[in-house]
Amino acid sequence: MRAPRIPRAPGALRQGSVAVLLAAALTACALPTTTGGSAPGDSRLTVDLAAYPASLDPGLQYDTDSYSVYRNIFDQLLHRDPKTNEPVPWLARKWHRTSPTTWVFTLRDDVRFSDGSRLTAADAAFSIERILDPKLGSQQNANFSAVDKATGSGNTLTLTTKYPSPTLLTYLTTLSVVPEAYVKKVGNAKFNLRPMGSGPYVLQNAISGSQVQLRRNEHWWSQRPPIRAVTFRAVPSPASRVADLTSGKADIADAMTPDNAIQMKSASNLKVLSSPTERVSYLAFNALKGGPTNDPRVRRAISLAIDYKSLISALEQGYAKQVNSVLTPLAEGYPKALKNYAYDPAEARDLVRRAGARGKTVVMATSPTYDPQIVQVIQAYIQDTGLKVAIRNTDQATYLKKVQGPSHDWGSIRFGQWSCSCLDADGVAYPLFHTGTVWSSYHSAAFDALVDKARATIDPAAREKLYARAYGVLNKDVPGIGLFQIYSIYGANKRLDWQPDAQQSFFVADMRFTS
């Protein structure tokens, strides 16, 4: 396997230490053989997540660790066919459009929340209006901002959009319906602590920062889930997650590294589950209050400093694919005509020199949810330009809160992974880079106009051209860099029957143990 060309890095992380890091990363250690795991017939599932959910309220965060849990407590308005990726009925049995901006959905009439109260179209309308309410401060606001009004009567939900929306249905696959009466009774803060939905599982217990326990909803409207109870545990260390799987302490673990995958393949009781996803690994720049990264020359320099092919081949080991933007080829609107990012360390150093930034410090925000080896190698690449890099590593909830704050004081660069579960450029370009969203620390009137127009354009060919131009603006201004398309990597007990999909859905109701 070809080792990456690691630059000489001044400061904390130098070439020698990176070489040692990569040598350790590329050496797979054999795992001891064990027959651990759930006993035959046992319907309890233990899941190791990289972090404790940042939110159990489905109207707030939608990071992987959060929605892997709360989507099992709630039902979504629509689901997605894992083979075709097309929206399919779930709570909504059918739908039609009565005008270019009016959609009518007919909901099932046999669904109840776990307290016995009936789920109605009014609850679905409330769930959308709540996300759009600025007082909630939902990180999903941009996803549903095309909706002008949501109303529900009986089992009929009517959505009126501000313009003809090409992405409404795809976003509704992510909408978890919450009980209006219960949320209003207990308030948002308590609802986040004690969520109650209509989904296949019911919250039994939650220990903040540690674990969430769910039990099967015996009155769920759909087919009875094979798994009776599930415990989601926060286990930040990938090595600890591997150890839990090997010993049988856990049945499945998310966010495994390629090195972990090599290790797990040597264990007789484990298997690796993987799939190409719509999730992109990226760097985003603070172009407003990032210090050196306010200068586009510095941002361009960092984009040129990274050897993307080596990063992918050495660290991702086949579980990633190079991209040409902050988007993956699975998404509608992927700018196929753009060239892949270039690697030119000499030009990167010259740009930093011309920007007068040599010796200046950029702060790189990250969290333990993300692979530290990748973060450290990127740090070394950037430091080879003459910049200094200070890594600010905080837990995922703190990282998200800081990045989404209105003051734009989160640092200069952030490492992240992005998925909208929508398979569309709108769910990536708009929230990450449009002026005024909670994720964006960048402003471009030209870019804003293009993505705004694309949001209101139904014709696929016209939308593709608009996104090609919009990503052209991003390619020029460099407010972010797409590192690679992520392949999901789960470690699992060999007896667990389940397959991951492109959206990284984690529906426990679809899982079962084989004998």
Side-chain angles (χ1 to χ4, degrees):
M1 185 175 296
R2 184 169 64 93
R5 299 187 294 274
I6 299 300
R8 293 187 301 276
L13 192 63
R14 298 185 183 275
Q15 183 177 11
S17 61
V18 176
V20 171
L21 171 69
L22 285 168
L26 293 171
T27 303
C29 23
L31 293 173
T33 300
T34 174
T35 58
S38 300
D42 188 352
S43 60
R44 290 180 177 271
L45 181 77
T46 299
V47 182
D48 275 6
L49 298 176
Y52 187 80
S55 171
L56 293 178
D57 180 344
L60 294 176
Q61 301 286 6
Y62 60 111
D63 61 291
T64 310
D65 296 312
S66 295
Y67 68 63
S68 292
V69 178
Y70 67 58
R71 284 183 183 171
N72 291 289
I73 300 173
F74 298 88
D75 279 308
Q76 292 69 48
L77 191 70
L78 304 177
H79 268 197
R80 195 184 289 277
D81 186 314
K83 294 181 180 179
T84 66
N85 288 325
E86 293 298 318
V88 295
W90 196 247
L91 287 179
R93 294 190 297 109
K94 58 184 180 179
W95 55 88
H96 64 281
R97 193 162 50 185
T98 60
S99 78
T101 57
T102 304
W103 293 78
V104 178
F105 298 81
T106 302
L107 274 60
R108 301 181 63 95
D109 58 7
D110 59 348
V111 180
R112 293 186 177 273
F113 291 109
S114 58
D115 67 349
S117 61
R118 185 184 169 199
L119 184 151
T120 69
D123 295 301
F126 170 76
S127 300
I128 297 174
E129 294 284 0
R130 180 172 179 259
I131 289 172
L132 295 174
D133 185 351
K135 294 180 182 178
L136 182 64
S138 173
Q139 291 73 32
Q140 300 178 58
N141 183 285
N143 293 358
F144 297 96
S145 59
V147 177
D148 184 53
K149 187 178 182 181
T151 58
S153 176
N155 66 340
T156 301
L157 170 68
T158 303
L159 299 182
T160 304
T161 59
K162 300 170 185 174
Y163 41 77
S165 173
T167 55
L168 180 64
L169 293 181
T170 194
Y171 283 127
L172 292 177
T173 65
T174 71
L175 178 71
S176 292
V177 175
V178 303
E180 179 179 11
Y182 178 73
V183 173
K184 288 182 175 178
K185 177 182 177 181
V186 302
N188 291 329
K190 188 173 180 180
F191 180 64
N192 195 15
L193 296 174
R194 301 296 302 178
M196 189 266 288
S198 66
Y201 291 89
V202 177
L203 178 68
Q204 185 171 17
N205 184 42
I207 302 173
S208 182
S210 177
Q211 67 178 31
V212 178
Q213 293 178 309
L214 309 181
R215 60 175 173 81
R216 184 168 55 205
N217 180 358
E218 300 295 348
H219 304 288
W220 191 43
W221 59 272
S222 191
Q223 185 176 355
R224 188 172 186 259
I227 303 295
R228 178 166 54 89
V230 55
T231 299
F232 294 90
R233 306 183 323 123
V235 184
S237 165
S240 296
R241 296 198 293 277
V242 173
D244 287 349
L245 288 167
T246 308
S247 67
K249 191 175 182 180
D251 299 298
I252 186 169
D254 191 7
M256 308 308 291
T257 69
D259 295 332
N260 298 150
I262 294 172
Q263 291 177 297
M264 291 184 295
K265 286 179 180 178
S266 70
S268 62
N269 66 321
L270 301 180
K271 61 183 176 181
V272 175
L273 302 173
S274 180
S275 175
T277 74
E278 66 160 9
R279 186 174 298 275
V280 62
S281 182
Y282 72 98
L283 297 181
F285 296 108
N286 190 340
L288 301 179
K289 295 183 179 180
T293 56
N294 288 359
D295 192 322
R297 291 173 294 183
V298 172
R299 303 196 298 269
R300 173 69 61 188
I302 293 172
S303 79
L304 292 168
I306 299 170
D307 185 348
Y308 302 90
K309 291 182 179 179
S310 293
L311 184 72
I312 291 169
S313 64
L315 290 185
E316 294 306 300
Q317 304 175 47
Y319 290 100
K321 183 178 180 180
Q322 190 169 3
V323 293
N324 61 14
S325 55
V326 186
L327 197 63
T328 76
L330 287 176
E332 294 291 333
Y334 183 73
K336 302 180 184 69
L338 275 183
K339 294 181 180 179
N340 284 337
Y341 295 101
Y343 173 54
D344 190 339
E347 176 65 13
R349 287 189 287 270
D350 188 54
L351 281 170
V352 168
R353 179 189 59 79
R354 282 188 277 156
R358 186 170 181 81
K360 293 186 178 180
T361 298
V362 292
V363 176
M364 186 174 177
T366 185
S367 91
T369 297
Y370 309 125
D371 187 346
Q373 293 175 347
I374 296 176
V375 172
Q376 290 171 336
V377 169
I378 290 173
Q379 178 191 34
Y381 281 130
I382 296 174
Q383 288 187 155
D384 188 53
T385 68
L387 292 164
K388 296 179 180 178
V389 181
I391 293 178
R392 180 183 293 162
N393 194 342
T394 60
D395 65 87
Q396 184 73 350
T398 302
Y399 165 90
L400 291 172
K401 185 177 181 180
K402 191 72 172 176
V403 165
Q404 295 162 356
S407 58
H408 302 284
D409 62 352
W410 50 265
S412 313
I413 312 166
R414 70 173 187 268
F415 180 87
Q417 298 177 353
W418 187 270
S419 168
C420 62
S421 296
C422 66
L423 294 167
D424 196 279
D426 180 73
V428 181
Y430 190 97
L432 282 180
F433 302 117
H434 191 282
T435 303
T437 70
V438 296
W439 298 98
S440 177
S441 292
Y442 163 72
H443 168 69
S444 166
F447 171 80
D448 290 350
L450 287 166
V451 293
D452 283 341
K453 188 173 182 180
R455 296 196 110 194
T457 300
I458 298 294
D459 179 66
R463 289 187 80 231
E464 186 173 346
K465 291 179 181 178
L466 288 167
Y467 281 119
R469 293 171 59 193
Y471 272 94
V473 174
L474 297 183
N475 189 56
K476 175 178 175 291
D477 291 350
V478 201
I481 302 168
L483 298 172
F484 48 81
Q485 176 188 14
I486 294 171
Y487 285 38
S488 62
I489 307 177
Y490 299 86
N493 185 294
K494 276 189 174 178
R495 294 191 306 101
L496 185 65
D497 183 14
W498 176 72
Q499 287 297 322
D501 60 22
Q503 292 79 43
Q504 294 179 276
S505 305
F506 198 84
F507 295 124
V508 176
D510 294 337
M511 301 180 185
R512 67 181 65 243
F513 285 105
T514 59
S515 58

